[in-house]
Coordinates of all heavy atoms in Angstrom, one line a residue:
P1 N -8.7 26.7 -54.9 CA -9.0 26.7 -56.3 C -8.2 27.7 -57.2 O -7.9 27.5 -58.3 CB -10.5 27.1 -56.4 CG -11.0 26.7 -55.0 CD -9.8 26.9 -54.1
A2 N -7.9 28.9 -56.6 CA -7.2 29.9 -57.3 C -5.8 29.4 -57.7 O -5.3 29.5 -58.8 CB -7.1 31.2 -56.5
T3 N -5.1 28.7 -56.7 CA -3.8 28.2 -57.0 C -3.9 27.0 -58.0 O -3.1 26.9 -58.9 CB -3.2 27.7 -55.7 OG1 -3.1 28.8 -54.8 CG2 -1.8 27.1 -55.9
T4 N -4.9 26.2 -57.8 CA -5.1 25.0 -58.7 C -5.2 25.4 -60.1 O -4.7 24.7 -61.0 CB -6.3 24.2 -58.2 OG1 -6.0 23.8 -56.8 CG2 -6.4 22.9 -59.0
V5 N -6.0 26.5 -60.4 CA -6.2 26.9 -61.8 C -5.0 27.7 -62.3 O -4.6 27.5 -63.5 CB -7.5 27.7 -61.8 CG1 -7.7 28.4 -63.2 CG2 -8.7 26.9 -61.5
M6 N -4.5 28.6 -61.5 CA -3.5 29.6 -62.0 C -2.2 29.0 -62.3 O -1.5 29.3 -63.3 CB -3.4 30.7 -61.1 CG -2.6 31.9 -61.6 SD -3.5 32.7 -62.9 CE -2.6 34.2 -63.0
E7 N -1.7 28.1 -61.5 CA -0.3 27.5 -61.6 C -0.1 26.8 -62.9 O 0.8 27.2 -63.6 CB 0.0 26.6 -60.4 CG 1.4 26.1 -60.4 CD 1.7 24.9 -61.2 OE1 0.8 24.1 -61.3 OE2 2.8 24.8 -61.7
P8 N -1.0 25.9 -63.4 CA -0.7 25.3 -64.7 C -0.9 26.2 -65.8 O -0.3 26.1 -66.9 CB -1.7 24.1 -64.8 CG -2.7 24.3 -63.7 CD -2.1 25.2 -62.7
M9 N -1.8 27.2 -65.7 CA -2.0 28.2 -66.7 C -0.7 29.0 -66.9 O -0.3 29.2 -68.1 CB -3.2 29.1 -66.4 CG -4.5 28.4 -66.6 SD -5.9 29.4 -66.1 CE -5.8 30.8 -67.1
V10 N -0.1 29.5 -65.9 CA 1.1 30.3 -65.9 C 2.3 29.4 -66.5 O 3.0 29.9 -67.3 CB 1.5 30.9 -64.6 CG1 2.8 31.6 -64.6 CG2 0.4 32.0 -64.2
A11 N 2.4 28.2 -65.9 CA 3.4 27.3 -66.4 C 3.3 27.0 -67.9 O 4.3 27.0 -68.6 CB 3.4 26.0 -65.6
S12 N 2.1 26.8 -68.3 CA 1.9 26.5 -69.8 C 2.2 27.7 -70.6 O 2.9 27.6 -71.7 CB 0.4 26.1 -70.0 OG 0.2 24.9 -69.3
L13 N 1.8 28.9 -70.2 CA 2.1 30.1 -70.9 C 3.5 30.4 -71.0 O 4.1 30.7 -72.1 CB 1.3 31.3 -70.3 CG 1.5 32.6 -71.0 CD1 0.9 32.6 -72.4 CD2 0.9 33.7 -70.2
L14 N 4.2 30.2 -69.9 CA 5.7 30.5 -69.9 C 6.4 29.4 -70.7 O 7.4 29.7 -71.4 CB 6.2 30.5 -68.4 CG 5.8 31.7 -67.6 CD1 6.3 31.6 -66.2 CD2 6.4 33.0 -68.3
G15 N 5.9 28.2 -70.6 CA 6.5 27.1 -71.4 C 6.4 27.4 -72.9 O 7.4 27.2 -73.7
F16 N 5.3 28.0 -73.3 CA 5.1 28.3 -74.7 C 5.9 29.5 -75.1 O 6.6 29.5 -76.1 CB 3.6 28.6 -75.0 CG 3.3 29.0 -76.4 CD1 3.3 28.1 -77.4 CD2 2.9 30.3 -76.7 CE1 3.0 28.4 -78.7 CE2 2.6 30.7 -78.0 CZ 2.6 29.7 -79.0
V17 N 5.8 30.6 -74.3 CA 6.5 31.9 -74.7 C 8.0 31.8 -74.4 O 8.8 32.2 -75.3 CB 5.9 33.0 -73.9 CG1 6.6 34.3 -74.1 CG2 4.4 33.2 -74.2
V18 N 8.4 31.3 -73.3 CA 9.8 31.4 -72.9 C 10.6 30.2 -73.4 O 11.7 30.4 -74.0 CB 10.0 31.5 -71.4 CG1 11.5 31.5 -70.9 CG2 9.3 32.8 -70.8
L19 N 10.1 29.0 -73.3 CA 10.8 27.8 -73.7 C 10.5 27.3 -75.1 O 11.2 26.4 -75.5 CB 10.5 26.7 -72.7 CG 10.8 27.0 -71.2 CD1 10.4 25.8 -70.3 CD2 12.3 27.3 -71.0
G20 N 9.5 27.9 -75.7 CA 9.2 27.5 -77.1 C 8.6 26.2 -77.2 O 8.6 25.5 -78.3
E21 N 7.9 25.7 -76.2 CA 7.2 24.4 -76.2 C 5.9 24.6 -76.8 O 5.3 25.7 -76.7 CB 7.1 23.8 -74.8 CG 8.5 23.5 -74.2 CD 8.4 23.0 -72.8 OE1 7.3 23.1 -72.2 OE2 9.4 22.5 -72.3
Y22 N 5.4 23.6 -77.4 CA 4.0 23.7 -78.0 C 3.4 22.3 -78.0 O 4.1 21.3 -77.8 CB 4.0 24.3 -79.4 CG 5.0 23.6 -80.3 CD1 4.5 22.6 -81.2 CD2 6.3 24.0 -80.4 CE1 5.4 21.9 -82.0 CE2 7.2 23.3 -81.3 CZ 6.7 22.3 -82.1 OH 7.6 21.7 -82.9
L23 N 2.1 22.2 -78.2 CA 1.4 21.0 -78.2 C 0.8 20.8 -79.6 O 0.0 21.6 -80.1 CB 0.3 21.0 -77.1 CG -0.6 19.8 -77.0 CD1 0.1 18.6 -76.6 CD2 -1.8 20.1 -76.1
H24 N 1.1 19.6 -80.2 CA 0.5 19.3 -81.5 C -0.9 18.7 -81.2 O -1.0 17.6 -80.6 CB 1.3 18.3 -82.3 CG 2.5 18.9 -82.9 ND1 2.5 19.8 -83.9 CD2 3.9 18.7 -82.6 CE1 3.7 20.1 -84.2 NE2 4.6 19.5 -83.4
A25 N -1.9 19.4 -81.6 CA -3.3 18.8 -81.3 C -4.2 19.2 -82.5 O -4.1 20.3 -83.0 CB -3.9 19.5 -80.1

């Protein structure tokens, strides 16, 4: 469960901060 929760959270955060990606919602 730790891996399942943390991996997408870190990937999303890095996508937003490093790659400048965002989600229109």
Side-chain angles (χ1 to χ4, degrees):
T3 302
T4 302
V5 171
M6 190 68 168
E7 189 272 328
M9 288 175 59
V10 170
S12 297
L13 180 65
L14 289 175
F16 179 73
V17 173
V18 176
L19 301 177
E21 296 178 347
Y22 54 92
L23 177 67
H24 287 292

